[in-house]
Amino acid sequence: MQIQDLPYPDPGVPDARSGPRFLWWLFRNQLGGQFKALAWGLLHFLSVSALPFCVGVAVQAVIDRSGTRLALAGGLLALCCAGNAIGETFLHRTAVTNWITAAARVQQVLARKTAQLGSALTRRVAAGEVVAVSTGDVEKIGWFVEAWSRFTAAAVTIVVVCVGLVFYQPALGTVVAVGLPVLAFAVLPLLPRATRRADLQREKAGRATELASDTVAGLRVLRGIGGEELFLDRYRRASQEVRHAAVRSARMWSLISAIQVLMPGLLLIAVVWYGVHLARDGRVSIGELVAVYSSIMILTYPLRHFEEIAMAYSFSRPSARRAARVLSLERATDTGGSRDGAQVPTGDLYDPATGLLAPAGRLTAVVCGDPDAAGRLAERLGGHPSEEGTSVLLGGVPLDELPLDRARTAVLVQDKDPVLLSGTLRELLDVPRSGDIGAEEALSAAQCEDVLAALGQGSLDAEDPMDARITERGRSLSGGQRQRLALARSLITDPGVLVLDEPTSAVDSHTEARIAQGMRNLRAGRTTVVFTSSPLLLDLADRVVLVHEGEVAAVGVHRELVHAEPRYRAVVTRETEEEAARSEALGESLRKAPGEKTAHKDGPPKGSALDDVLKELEEIEESA
């Protein structure tokens, strides 16, 4: 696999049972690149390590006044330099390729997992951890996978040089062969502590990233309540903790680096001292002493790869563990038997866990007093089973038994906080769709005329508002504008079943009324489920369902439920207990016989939330 061939047609199924298993899976999936890096690394390291022998031969040839051997030494030096240049060039090229392709494979499997889990991902894993895995962790994982082949080449080179020195000059070669393993493994006792400090640094960095992500996401709210300084102080403290952890980790790694410099120096002193004594006795020639001395100097280069592989593993191990934790999350479709030959089902949408029924082709509004419970129910309607394993049925077919693409063709869920990706408006609306609904229709139904005007005025380059660019997550737009664009994107897909969680919570009542009517007209004959407590949406729904404490408590239309069901009225009108008592008294008086007078001396209670709702509904009818 070359860089120009990315992305992978199929990145494969990762082994996410643990961090080391995930690293091993990555290594196995690029064996070709690893063997290439190993071959070029051996050429590079062996060419570098052979230079001292050539120098030793040349020095001895000068001492012996042998022109033939000097010419031979010059030829060997030229050959070693050529091998060094070629090996290092292609080693670097192959190593970078291995790094990028490994990182790309990790990113692809993470993106695929994110697409499979959807909004359920951030409910099961912290958003900051997802950001850390998909950014910095990817690079560290790729670093270790790539560094392994270079480390292997360096280790093989050291063994070959030690064996060669023993045969070339047994007395000095034995000293080097015994000393080099000591140098290579001298830092092993320090690695556990260095690894723990690196893990602590990564953990604190992940928390700081999560805090920063949450702060940026809620920056508009923070500015509204004047909480910028509070969160800035929190992030500053988290940042300082990361800095202290990084300094402690760097101190340990600097100690390891110092040992890697000190130990070869001590070995060099020992070899020179011993070699001088051997040279005085005539047991070692000057050329041999120079060759052994130069070999030790050169071998410090491949020895550095022992430190690098230890550092790479220390930093990649927690990163791989986090990536494996994200990749191990599964949707029921991933483990259960999927119906490969099944068509996209149609019919009523039914949730056995709560008893919620959304008839086919009708607009069903769901009222739930607990916003978190509403979000979980919306997620379950999208095909994610409940904690008890109960799956939603569409036309009698369990959604979690369908392949993911068919499940999402059948049901589309828009949560209460939809994300707008950066790009043009045309790219935002370029999503898989049926083709029956155009962009203009969807934007009109979502009341995006003012959004188009704002985008056109804010863009200097785009003549068409559809070509105007939207910043990351739509931060340049207001909350209501982002919400309407997200609704238009959902409407244009034209799914069999559309589930919307609070789609108009950030718009004013007049715009909300127009959106409700436009959405109803556009989705006529299609199944739509709206989680809302807005009377404007509820009054246009064909069927309203009250979910209380995880079960369907009442079913009807808005005007009936607001009079007959106190729990429904409490959620929709947000009335207090006193107002609820007054409304209950009014209801009792209205339920009396037609000829019977009410005993309420003050007449119907005025100024209650119920009274306001009824007046608002009358105004809507008059305007329509």
Side-chain angles (χ1 to χ4, degrees):
M1 171 64 72
Q2 298 297 319
I3 296 177
Q4 63 264 23
D5 299 326
L6 294 175
Y8 290 96
D10 179 13
V13 180
D15 187 347
R17 289 177 290 178
S18 65
R21 288 179 181 271
F22 179 63
L23 293 173
W24 174 241
W25 174 80
L26 285 174
F27 182 83
R28 287 189 292 109
N29 276 273
Q30 55 172 212
L31 284 178
Q34 295 291 342
F35 281 124
K36 287 182 181 178
L38 176 61
W40 293 120
L42 287 174
L43 176 61
H44 169 55
F45 289 125
L46 290 175
S47 297
V48 172
S49 301
L51 291 175
F53 294 94
C54 300
V55 172
V57 172
V59 170
Q60 192 61 43
V62 172
I63 294 174
D64 297 338
R65 300 181 182 275
S66 174
T68 303
R69 282 188 294 164
L70 184 60
L72 177 62
L76 291 176
L77 276 172
L79 184 61
C80 289
C81 289
N84 178 25
I86 295 173
E88 184 173 14
T89 300
F90 285 95
L91 172 62
H92 178 74
R93 183 184 182 91
T94 309
V96 171
T97 300
N98 288 341
W99 190 340
I100 293 178
T101 53
R105 190 184 296 273
V106 177
Q107 287 180 326
Q108 281 190 247
V109 295
L110 285 172
R112 184 175 62 187
K113 180 60 66 174
T114 302
Q116 289 175 350
L117 295 176
S119 62
L121 176 62
T122 53
R123 293 189 178 98
R124 300 167 70 177
V125 180
E129 184 169 352
V130 177
V131 173
V133 170
S134 58
T135 53
D137 286 343
V138 169
E139 294 184 3
K140 291 178 175 58
I141 292 171
W143 176 28
F144 173 74
V145 174
E146 173 273 321
W148 184 256
S149 56
R150 289 189 291 113
F151 162 73
T152 304
V156 172
T157 300
I158 290 175
V159 172
V160 171
V161 171
C162 288
V163 173
L165 285 175
V166 171
F167 284 97
Y168 177 71
Q169 217 308 308
L172 292 177
T174 303
V175 175
V176 176
V178 172
L180 280 179
V182 176
L183 299 183
F185 299 109
V187 297
L188 283 181
L190 299 177
L191 289 180
R193 183 177 297 180
T195 301
R196 287 194 299 269
R197 292 189 179 185
D199 291 349
L200 180 62
Q201 177 193 352
R202 294 300 305 160
E203 179 182 351
K204 291 186 178 296
R207 292 177 183 174
T209 303
E210 181 178 353
L211 179 60
S213 177
D214 293 341
T215 302
V216 171
L219 189 58
R220 188 182 296 271
V221 178
L222 289 176
R223 288 175 176 171
I225 63 177
E228 303 101 313
E229 289 299 326
L230 174 62
F231 274 80
L232 179 60
D233 290 339
R234 291 179 59 185
Y235 182 75
R236 185 180 289 114
R237 289 194 298 269
S239 178
Q240 289 301 313
E241 290 180 1
V242 175
R243 184 178 68 84
H244 289 306
V247 169
R248 294 184 72 246
S249 178
R251 286 173 179 168
M252 184 56 63
W253 287 111
S254 63
L255 177 59
I256 292 175
S257 298
I259 293 176
Q260 290 284 350
V261 174
L262 175 64
M263 297 299 289
L266 295 178
L267 178 61
L268 189 61
I269 293 173
V271 169
V272 171
W273 180 82
Y274 184 52
V276 168
H277 284 281
L278 293 178
R280 284 179 178 178
D281 297 337
R283 297 168 57 187
V284 174
S285 66
I286 299 300
E288 291 174 336
L289 180 59
V290 170
V292 175
Y293 171 84
S294 302
S295 296
I296 299 174
M297 294 291 294
I298 291 294
L299 286 178
T300 57
Y301 170 53
L303 275 174
R304 303 292 293 182
H305 288 74
F306 283 76
E307 176 192 350
E308 181 188 5
I309 196 65
M311 183 181 293
Y313 181 71
S314 298
F315 279 91
S316 67
R317 189 172 61 88
S319 298
R321 184 172 63 246
R322 278 192 293 269
R325 182 163 59 246
V326 173
L327 293 172
S328 63
L329 302 176
E330 293 182 347
R331 181 178 179 265
T333 303
D334 299 331
T335 56
S338 62
R339 304 183 176 191
D340 294 332
Q343 300 297 319
V344 177
T346 57
D348 298 342
L349 185 67
Y350 176 67
D351 177 31
T354 59
L356 172 63
L357 175 66
R362 301 178 68 185
L363 173 59
T364 302
V366 181
V367 176
C368 187
D370 184 0
D372 293 333
R376 291 192 294 270
L377 179 54
E379 178 185 330
R380 193 158 63 248
L381 293 180
H384 298 280
S386 64
E387 296 179 357
E388 295 79 13
T390 306
S391 175
V392 170
L393 305 177
L394 179 60
V397 178
L399 279 180
D400 65 343
E401 292 186 5
L402 291 174
L404 187 61
D405 56 345
R406 292 194 178 96
R408 289 190 171 168
T409 301
V411 182
L412 175 66
V413 178
Q414 175 183 307
D415 61 20
K416 69 180 70 174
D417 188 22
V419 175
L420 302 182
L421 301 178
S422 60
T424 64
L425 180 57
R426 194 182 307 278
E427 292 170 342
L428 176 70
L429 299 179
D430 186 16
V431 292
R433 51 183 168 174
S434 65
D436 296 334
I437 297 179
E440 293 184 0
E441 295 177 275
L443 291 168
S444 176
Q447 300 299 310
C448 293
E449 291 82 2
D450 64 317
V451 184
L452 294 176
L455 288 174
Q457 293 174 359
S459 177
L460 301 177
D461 302 329
E463 297 181 359
D464 188 348
M466 294 293 292
D467 296 323
R469 294 197 64 81
I470 300 173
T471 58
E472 182 186 3
R473 299 180 68 91
R475 300 192 194 281
S476 60
L477 304 173
S478 67
Q481 290 173 330
R482 289 197 301 269
Q483 198 170 58
R484 282 178 282 164
L485 285 180
L487 177 59
R489 181 179 59 185
S490 299
L491 291 174
I492 201 174
T493 59
D494 191 30
V497 178
L498 177 60
V499 180
L500 303 171
D501 188 3
E502 295 289 352
T504 58
S505 60
V507 300
D508 60 83
S509 58
H510 296 286
T511 305
E512 185 178 30
R514 294 195 298 269
I515 290 175
Q517 191 62 54
M519 183 174 62
R520 179 180 175 85
N521 295 338
L522 194 65
R523 293 286 300 172
R526 300 175 179 85
T527 307
T528 307
V529 181
V530 182
F531 287 81
T532 183
S533 59
S534 168
L536 298 171
L537 287 173
L538 294 170
D539 191 54
L540 290 177
D542 300 316
R543 174 185 175 92
V544 179
V545 180
L546 172 64
V547 177
H548 182 69
E549 294 182 353
E551 294 181 353
V552 173
V555 180
V557 294
H558 171 63
R559 300 196 178 205
E560 294 176 354
L561 293 176
V562 79
H563 287 290
E565 179 55 58
R567 292 173 296 184
Y568 177 83
R569 186 166 56 249
V571 176
V572 174
T573 65
R574 298 168 179 83
E575 62 183 5
T576 63
E577 293 183 0
E578 180 181 354
E579 291 174 335
R582 295 171 63 187
S583 299
E584 184 65 25
L586 174 61
E588 289 293 334
S589 65
L590 293 176
R591 284 193 291 270
K592 290 185 177 181
E596 186 177 351
K597 295 183 178 180
T598 176
H600 202 294
K601 62 180 181 180
D602 297 329
K606 301 296 183 181
S608 67
L610 174 61
D611 190 41
D612 295 337
V613 172
L614 294 177
K615 286 183 178 180
E616 191 173 2
L617 293 177
E618 291 176 358
E619 292 176 358
I620 295 174
E621 289 179 349
E622 291 176 359
S623 63

